[in-house]
Amino acid sequence: MRLTDISVRALPFGQAQKTYTDDTLAGFGVRVSKTAKTFVVVHGPTRERITIGRFPIISLSDARQEAKRLLAERTLGKRRPKVMTYNDAKAAYLEMSEQKNRPRTHKDYQRFLDSFAFGKTHMADITKHDIKKRLDKRKHSPTQYDQALRAVKTFFTWAVRQDYIAHSPCEGLQAPKAGTSRTRALSAEELGTVLATSLQGPYPFGHIVALCVLTGQRRGEIAKLEWEWIDRTKQTITIPATVTKNKREHTFPYGDMAERVLEAIPIIDNAQYVFPATRDTGRRRQATVFNGWSKAKRLFDKRLEGVQSFTLHDLRRTLSTYMASLGIEQIVVEKLLNHVSGGTQSPIAQVYNRHSYMKEMREAIQTYEDYLAKLLKN
């Protein structure tokens, strides 16, 4: 049959796949399945089938033009994209990434690419619409959207270089405009409620929240705590540069309230992590760290009364806000939070001022814990 826009739209979906060829261009046709109509090119004695894309996302005229190009390239002996599923391409990419990138970067790529879950879909069948639909699930978090988009763009660009696809379906996709920075700081009543609720557990999320409140550290750094980083005698925690956001080792003091939280944490024999998790790798169970944030936070929020929506990072901003109100110098707060880009010191001063501020940070923690203790009594 001669394929036209009208005839392609009229083709009935069926239980079994059926290919309708175009009389005007040998090898070009549309494959109709139960739910999709896909333009294809079949070429050569082996009847190799190349997928162009789905209708109507790709128009008939664009598909026919692409088919002519593909057939010309095959006739001239040029290389064409290999038939590759998303899972197979992802596995090859992550193998390369593990050798080339830092462990943290590699894990981020793996996490984001796993979340797209295209499975056994052929790489050439994945469209811009498919990617955008999965990205839109992250619209509530512009940062997550942007990171996922960058990861999948990098992956598909690599796939083009590997001849898995002819063109990246990510072309033209853009991250949403950045919103205003969060300014949320919990009220005194909210802070007291969150701390009191976290001290009641359960392990591990309650203990993580409590330590976020009491120390002001980032949630990811708290979740990755190892027992050997904690000096129970000096009441200090040292987070190595490989874990901190700014890649600088960070040693800070903690107070008696935080010590009681640590004492309440169950210690598994020979445990490396304060908040361990395990995953089944098929051969053995491998120790990892807590990462079930979304579900645990939803369950935690249900236990709170009179507290507006907040993120764990807001607890960090809250500590900074209340320490300032308690008269603690900003440079001390920044040292405690491991900020290196604050406005209290010039870049030169940051290089030459090697004072640790340990004494000042310890006094600040004590002042803050005294304030929190009063909130708990109210």
Side-chain angles (χ1 to χ4, degrees), residues 176-326:
K177 293 181 180 179
T180 57
S181 300
R182 287 184 63 88
T183 58
R184 172 90 160 101
L186 279 66
S187 68
E189 293 77 11
E190 290 177 323
L191 180 58
T193 299
V194 170
L195 178 57
T197 304
S198 68
L199 293 175
Q200 296 171 9
Y203 174 85
F205 191 74
H207 299 73
I208 292 175
V209 174
L211 290 177
C212 286
V213 172
L214 296 169
T215 68
Q217 305 308 306
R218 296 178 177 87
R219 71 170 199 177
E221 295 168 356
I222 293 295
K224 293 176 183 176
L225 283 179
E226 299 186 20
W227 286 112
E228 66 176 18
W229 302 351
I230 305 174
D231 189 326
R232 304 290 285 274
T233 302
K234 295 180 181 179
Q235 288 195 189
T236 61
I237 295 176
T238 299
I239 303 177
T242 54
V243 174
T244 60
K245 182 178 180 180
N246 58 28
K247 308 306 177 188
R248 295 189 180 187
E249 182 179 275
H250 179 41
T251 299
F252 62 92
Y254 63 86
D256 293 338
M257 292 179 70
E259 173 63 23
R260 289 193 289 273
V261 173
L262 293 173
E263 289 176 350
I265 295 175
I267 302 178
I268 303 172
D269 291 342
N270 300 318
Q272 175 184 0
Y273 300 110
V274 178
F275 303 108
T278 57
R279 64 180 179 184
D280 193 345
T281 60
R283 297 180 180 178
R284 59 188 176 86
R285 293 184 69 80
Q286 179 179 353
T288 56
V289 297
F290 173 82
N291 196 34
W293 299 106
S294 298
K295 181 179 179 180
K297 180 62 162 56
R298 286 196 301 269
L299 293 175
F300 184 81
D301 288 347
K302 289 180 180 179
R303 298 165 55 202
L304 301 174
E305 294 184 5
V307 178
Q308 299 297 316
S309 176
F310 73 99
T311 68
L312 294 189
H313 195 80
D314 292 336
L315 300 176
R316 185 171 163 87
R317 187 182 303 103
T318 300
L319 177 142
S320 177
T321 300
Y322 282 98
M323 280 194 170
S325 70
L326 293 169

Side-chain angles (χ1 to χ4, degrees), residues 119-189:
K120 295 182 179 180
T121 304
H122 285 179
M123 289 287 285
D125 287 343
I126 299 172
T127 67
K128 181 186 296 186
H129 174 75
D130 297 328
I131 295 171
K132 188 175 185 303
K133 183 168 67 173
R134 286 162 173 79
L135 285 171
D136 285 346
K137 295 179 180 179
R138 297 181 172 88
K139 276 192 172 178
H140 65 282
S141 174
T143 299
Q144 287 284 310
Y145 189 108
D146 182 63
Q147 291 174 343
L149 177 58
R150 282 190 281 116
V152 78
K153 274 188 171 182
T154 302
F155 167 67
F156 277 103
T157 299
W158 170 86
V160 172
R161 294 198 299 268
Q162 300 301 312
D163 287 320
Y164 296 159
I165 50 177
H167 305 285
S168 170
C170 295
E171 293 178 2
L173 286 176
Q174 296 181 345
K177 293 181 180 179
T180 57
S181 300
R182 287 184 63 88
T183 58
R184 172 90 160 101
L186 279 66
S187 68
E189 293 77 11

Side-chain angles (χ1 to χ4, degrees), residues 20-40:
Y20 299 84
T21 57
D22 184 15
D23 292 342
T24 64
L25 181 61
F28 174 58
V30 59
R31 187 175 74 250
V32 181
S33 65
K34 184 177 180 180
T35 59
K37 298 176 182 179
T38 307
F39 293 113
V40 296

